[in-house]
Amino acid sequence: MAVAYLNGEWMAPEDAKVSVFDRGFMFGDGIYEVMAVYDGKVFTLEDHLVRLKRSLEAIRLESPHTDDEWRAIINEAVQKGDETPAYLYLQITRGVESPRSHVYPGGSKPTVLITVMHAPVLERNEITPYKMVTKNDFRWGRGDIKVISLIANGLLKNEALDEGFDDALLFREGELTEATASNVFMVKDGVVVTPPKSNFLLHGITRDHVLKLLAGADVPCEERAISEDELLAADEIWITSTGHEVWPVGQVNDCVIGNGSAGVVWQVVDTLFQASKK
Ligand code: PMP
């Protein structure tokens, strides 16, 4: 059964309530992580804890817990949730402050929310390549911080859906950054390419995991800038995220990628990825 943890208390997710003066509600002033639970264990937990700390430091919010405390709370949430596979969502905001003010409150207590909810299981043949549309990345300049304020990502995603696509591939000054909720890889002539880490894109845990898997299998990889023309001429494109794992892209704008279905290198990386979950 799905479970929520709110500031030290356990409850059903629908019973978890926060104040309207929470800075997360008022300002989107908080950060989050989404983790996958496979076979009752949090996948790549340590990498998520590193990014969590990095996000907290970037928004100048002191972590309310030590790493050991986070591990204990997260593991208890997984046990109490008793869902597998599942998604564990962890959000920390700068807490409750009244009256509302842009100035950070001294000594306010961060609000900590964790939920564990059931995740759908997909058969491999249910993975249909996405149709993506290219769009201008007009988001703020700190896409590397996993902030809860996702208004631009939501606008771009929903524009793409309204135009008949599954998602958007984002370009900033002619260079690919990422998709609205995932990182992007392309394959050309057997070489896998992904944009380098920068302040304009999220340093995806799945991205790093995939790069490690490919390196271990001696598949050549490059982290470098990708233009729209280069992307459209790719043999394969994939997006990566905790929720999508490695997902093939079969079309960008009106251009079919490869033969429009999941490519041979995707098959390799998907097999490696599924094996790495065990
Ligand atoms: N980029 C963005 C904008 C995201 O929101 C996400 C996570 N949904 C990712 C990339 C992928 O990150 P991860 O692999 O850590 O889930």
Side-chain angles (χ1 to χ4, degrees), residues 128-134 165 169 171 176 184-189 191 226-239 247-266:
T128 319
Y130 271 178
K131 292 182 182 157
M132 311 278 284
V133 61
T134 55
F165 295 92
L169 293 162
F171 285 83
L176 175 67
V184 184
F185 285 72
M186 59 163 264
V187 184
K188 186 71 183 176
D189 298 330
V191 179
I226 299 173
S227 69
E228 186 164 338
D229 284 350
E230 190 182 11
L231 190 72
L232 291 175
D235 300 329
E236 293 183 30
I237 301 175
W238 327 315
I239 58 168
W247 196 276
V249 174
Q251 184 183 324
V252 179
N253 302 336
D254 56 1
C255 179
V256 175
I257 303 301
N259 63 7
S261 42
V264 284
V265 190
W266 178 83

Side-chain angles (χ1 to χ4, degrees), residues 27-187:
F27 292 99
D29 188 355
I31 58 104
Y32 75 109
E33 281 293 322
V34 180
M35 309 177 204
V37 182
Y38 301 128
D39 289 329
K41 271 193 63 188
V42 178
F43 186 61
T44 56
L45 171 62
E46 294 306 312
D47 299 324
H48 284 282
L49 289 179
V50 170
R51 188 171 64 185
L52 179 76
K53 273 204 290 197
R54 188 179 179 278
S55 294
L56 284 170
E57 273 166 29
I59 69 159
R60 295 166 52 192
L61 182 57
E62 200 177 320
S63 182
H65 295 292
T66 63
D67 276 1
D68 276 347
E69 287 168 351
W70 282 125
R71 285 185 198 101
I73 300 167
I74 287 168
N75 286 329
E76 195 175 345
V78 170
Q79 270 160 27
K80 283 200 160 44
D82 197 23
E83 296 273 3
T84 197
Y87 293 131
L88 186 145
Y89 179 85
L90 192 169
Q91 170 172 314
I92 307 163
T93 74
R94 207 178 302 272
V96 177
E97 185 204 11
S98 170
R100 179 185 177 280
S101 164
H102 280 60
V103 179
Y104 291 159
S108 77
K109 222 170 127 301
T111 301
V112 178
L113 169 72
I114 297 175
T115 58
V116 178
M117 320 271 282
H118 183 67
V121 185
L122 283 187
E123 298 301 329
R124 297 340 279 157
N125 62 9
E126 289 176 291
I127 295 176
T128 319
Y130 271 178
K131 292 182 182 157
M132 311 278 284
V133 61
T134 55
K135 289 199 177 281
N136 177 38
D137 189 349
F138 59 76
R139 302 171 304 159
W140 74 322
R142 290 307 305 272
D144 59 321
I145 315 173
K146 201 160 169 60
V147 291
I148 58 171
S149 18
L150 290 169
I151 188 160
N153 302 60
L155 275 171
L156 289 159
K157 170 81 179 181
N158 284 279
E159 267 179 34
L161 292 176
D162 290 348
E163 291 164 18
F165 295 92
D166 296 299
D167 200 354
L169 293 162
L170 308 178
F171 285 83
R172 187 181 284 264
E173 294 183 0
E175 289 180 5
L176 175 67
T177 52
E178 56 183 346
T180 66
S182 51
N183 293 108
V184 184
F185 285 72
M186 59 163 264
V187 184

Side-chain angles (χ1 to χ4, degrees), residues 261-278:
S261 42
V264 284
V265 190
W266 178 83
Q267 305 283 353
V268 171
V269 73
D270 182 57
T271 305
L272 291 169
F273 193 94
Q274 297 311 315
S276 74
K277 286 158 62 170
K278 305 259 152 49

Side-chain angles (χ1 to χ4, degrees), residues 183-186 192-196 207 211 222-226:
N183 293 108
V184 184
F185 285 72
M186 59 163 264
V192 178
V193 190
T194 193
R207 172 195 182 277
L211 283 173
E222 292 174 5
E223 292 175 67
R224 61 166 174 79
I226 299 173

